[in-house]
Amino acid sequence: DVKPGDKIIVYGKLRSPYQSKDDFAFDYKSYLRRENIFYYLYPYQVEVIGGSFNINIIRYHINQYFKSHFDNYGYLSALILGDKNYLDEDFSESLSRVGVSHLFAISGLHIALLVLLLNKLLGWFKYKDCLIFLFLGMMMLITGFSPSVIRAVLLVIFKKVGDKLDLPYAS
């Protein structure tokens, strides 16, 4: 079982991609050559030789928790972490075909709702903004620093700091 941060050795055979036989077909070998890819590696053995800390290990452990405690862990992972890798392939294709795969991405709306909820829950607490910033930092961490989450978190931080310093703010 390979997880984020593991150092591995891979044994395998290098093979060159096949040239297209049809003159008017897509030439995959030429495409790969343009991308500076000249060989495939067909692995036959993978060994874990060590490891180090990787930021994605937190997300990995959350996914492992979902996997061991819930039957539909793929949906949880997609809805909470924005990780669609654990969704059933047919379901994922159906989402793309229908055009609603964006519903399983963490966006500014999710962040805004979480901040609103935390504001209501911590309304009486003196250091609620510090706790909200800490929570938002953890959200960025577990979602893998996705651009939409970073954008939403920065917007919340700028808004809260602007309110504290009485700076004019236009949405």
Side-chain angles (χ1 to χ4, degrees):
D1 187 30
V2 180
K3 56 187 176 299
D6 282 350
K7 293 180 183 175
I8 60 173
I9 294 179
V10 179
Y11 300 97
K13 290 189 177 191
L14 286 177
R15 299 233 172 111
S16 180
Y18 294 109
Q19 185 77 34
S20 174
K21 300 212 189 296
D22 187 2
D23 290 336
F24 300 106
F26 176 71
D27 189 2
Y28 192 56
K29 185 174 184 175
S30 296
Y31 165 75
L32 290 176
R33 196 176 311 119
R34 282 192 305 272
E35 298 294 319
N36 292 321
I37 300 170
F38 303 100
Y39 297 99
Y40 286 116
L41 176 69
Y42 290 95
Y44 55 81
Q45 184 180 353
V46 177
E47 286 182 27
V48 177
I49 59 168
S52 60
F53 179 75
N54 184 304
I55 202 81
N56 294 317
I57 196 74
I58 297 166
R59 188 177 186 164
Y60 172 81
H61 284 299
I62 292 170
N63 274 321
Q64 292 304 311
Y65 178 81
F66 288 162
K67 197 174 194 177
S68 65
H69 288 81
F70 301 102
D71 292 334
N72 295 327
Y73 64 91
Y75 302 110
L76 276 175
S77 181
L79 288 170
I80 295 173
L81 303 176
D83 188 356
K84 294 183 251 183
N85 293 329
Y86 296 96
L87 284 176
D88 181 48
E89 197 171 314
D90 293 333
F91 181 71
S92 189
E93 260 183 52
S94 298
L95 288 175
S96 294
R97 203 173 322 112
V98 174
V100 293
S101 61
H102 64 279
L103 295 176
F104 286 94
I106 304 297
S107 66
L109 177 65
H110 294 90
I111 300 300
L113 290 174
L114 288 171
V115 169
L116 182 68
L117 178 71
L118 287 172
N119 265 326
K120 293 293 181 190
L121 291 174
L122 300 172
W124 54 271
F125 192 61
K126 183 178 179 182
Y127 300 106
K128 75 176 179 179
D129 289 339
C130 293
L131 285 176
I132 289 172
F133 291 163
L134 182 67
F135 180 78
L136 291 175
M138 289 189 315
M139 273 302 288
M140 285 194 309
L141 187 73
I142 66 170
T143 58
F145 293 95
S146 77
S148 61
V149 174
I150 292 172
R151 188 172 43 247
V153 167
L154 287 176
L155 185 68
V156 169
I157 290 172
F158 290 150
K159 170 78 171 114
K160 289 208 174 270
V161 169
D163 288 349
K164 291 282 184 206
L165 299 175
D166 252 357
L167 298 174
Y169 172 78
S171 60

Coordinates of all heavy atoms in Angstrom, one line a residue, residues 1-3 5-11 45-52:
D1 N 0.8 -1.2 0.0 CA 0.0 0.0 0.0 C 0.9 1.2 0.0 O 1.6 1.5 0.9 CB -0.9 0.0 1.2 CG -1.9 1.1 1.2 OD1 -2.3 1.5 0.1 OD2 -2.3 1.5 2.3
V2 N 0.8 2.0 -1.0 CA 1.6 3.2 -1.2 C 0.8 4.4 -0.8 O -0.4 4.6 -1.2 CB 2.1 3.4 -2.6 CG1 2.9 4.6 -2.8 CG2 2.9 2.2 -3.1
K3 N 1.3 5.3 0.1 CA 0.6 6.5 0.5 C 1.5 7.7 0.3 O 2.7 7.6 0.0 CB 0.2 6.3 2.0 CG 1.3 6.0 2.9 CD 0.7 5.7 4.3 CE 1.8 5.3 5.3 NZ 2.5 4.2 5.0
G5 N 4.0 10.6 0.5 CA 5.3 10.7 1.3 C 6.2 9.5 1.2 O 7.3 9.5 1.6
D6 N 5.6 8.3 0.8 CA 6.4 7.1 0.6 C 7.5 7.3 -0.5 O 7.2 7.8 -1.5 CB 5.6 5.9 0.3 CG 4.8 5.4 1.5 OD1 5.1 5.8 2.6 OD2 4.0 4.5 1.3
K7 N 8.7 6.8 -0.2 CA 9.7 6.7 -1.2 C 9.7 5.3 -1.7 O 9.7 4.3 -0.9 CB 11.1 7.0 -0.6 CG 11.2 8.5 -0.2 CD 12.5 8.8 0.4 CE 12.4 10.3 0.9 NZ 13.6 10.6 1.6
I8 N 9.7 5.1 -3.0 CA 9.5 3.8 -3.6 C 10.6 3.5 -4.7 O 11.2 4.5 -5.2 CB 8.1 3.6 -4.3 CG1 7.9 4.6 -5.4 CG2 7.0 3.7 -3.2 CD1 6.6 4.4 -6.1
I9 N 10.8 2.3 -4.9 CA 11.6 1.8 -6.0 C 10.7 1.0 -6.9 O 10.0 0.1 -6.5 CB 12.8 0.9 -5.6 CG1 13.8 1.7 -4.8 CG2 13.5 0.3 -6.8 CD1 15.0 0.9 -4.3
V10 N 10.7 1.3 -8.2 CA 9.9 0.6 -9.2 C 10.8 -0.1 -10.2 O 11.7 0.5 -10.8 CB 9.0 1.6 -10.0 CG1 8.1 0.9 -11.0 CG2 8.1 2.4 -9.0
Y11 N 10.5 -1.4 -10.3 CA 11.2 -2.2 -11.3 C 10.2 -2.5 -12.4 O 9.1 -2.8 -12.2 CB 11.6 -3.6 -10.7 CG 12.6 -3.4 -9.5 CD1 12.1 -3.5 -8.2 CD2 13.9 -3.2 -9.7 CE1 13.0 -3.3 -7.1 CE2 14.8 -3.1 -8.7 CZ 14.3 -3.2 -7.4 OH 15.2 -3.0 -6.3
Q45 N 7.3 -4.7 -10.2 CA 7.5 -4.8 -8.8 C 7.6 -3.4 -8.2 O 8.3 -2.5 -8.8 CB 8.7 -5.6 -8.5 CG 9.0 -5.7 -7.0 CD 10.2 -6.6 -6.7 OE1 10.8 -7.1 -7.6 NE2 10.6 -6.7 -5.5
V46 N 7.0 -3.1 -7.1 CA 7.1 -1.8 -6.4 C 7.4 -2.1 -5.0 O 6.8 -2.8 -4.3 CB 5.8 -1.0 -6.5 CG1 5.9 0.3 -5.8 CG2 5.4 -0.8 -8.0
E47 N 8.5 -1.4 -4.5 CA 9.0 -1.6 -3.1 C 8.9 -0.2 -2.4 O 9.4 0.7 -3.0 CB 10.4 -2.1 -3.1 CG 10.6 -3.6 -3.4 CD 12.0 -4.0 -3.3 OE1 12.8 -3.3 -2.5 OE2 12.4 -4.9 -4.0
V48 N 8.4 -0.2 -1.2 CA 8.4 1.0 -0.4 C 9.7 0.9 0.4 O 9.9 -0.1 1.1 CB 7.2 1.1 0.5 CG1 7.3 2.3 1.5 CG2 5.9 1.1 -0.2
I49 N 10.6 1.9 0.3 CA 11.9 1.9 0.9 C 12.0 2.9 2.1 O 13.0 2.9 2.7 CB 13.0 2.1 -0.1 CG1 12.9 3.5 -0.8 CG2 13.1 1.0 -1.1 CD1 14.1 3.9 -1.6
G50 N 11.0 3.7 2.3 CA 11.0 4.7 3.3 C 9.9 5.7 3.1 O 9.0 5.5 2.3
G51 N 10.0 6.7 3.9 CA 9.0 7.7 3.8 C 9.4 9.0 4.5 O 10.3 9.0 5.3
S52 N 8.6 10.0 4.2 CA 8.8 11.3 4.9 C 7.4 12.0 5.0 O 6.5 11.5 4.3 CB 9.8 12.2 4.1 OG 9.3 12.4 2.8

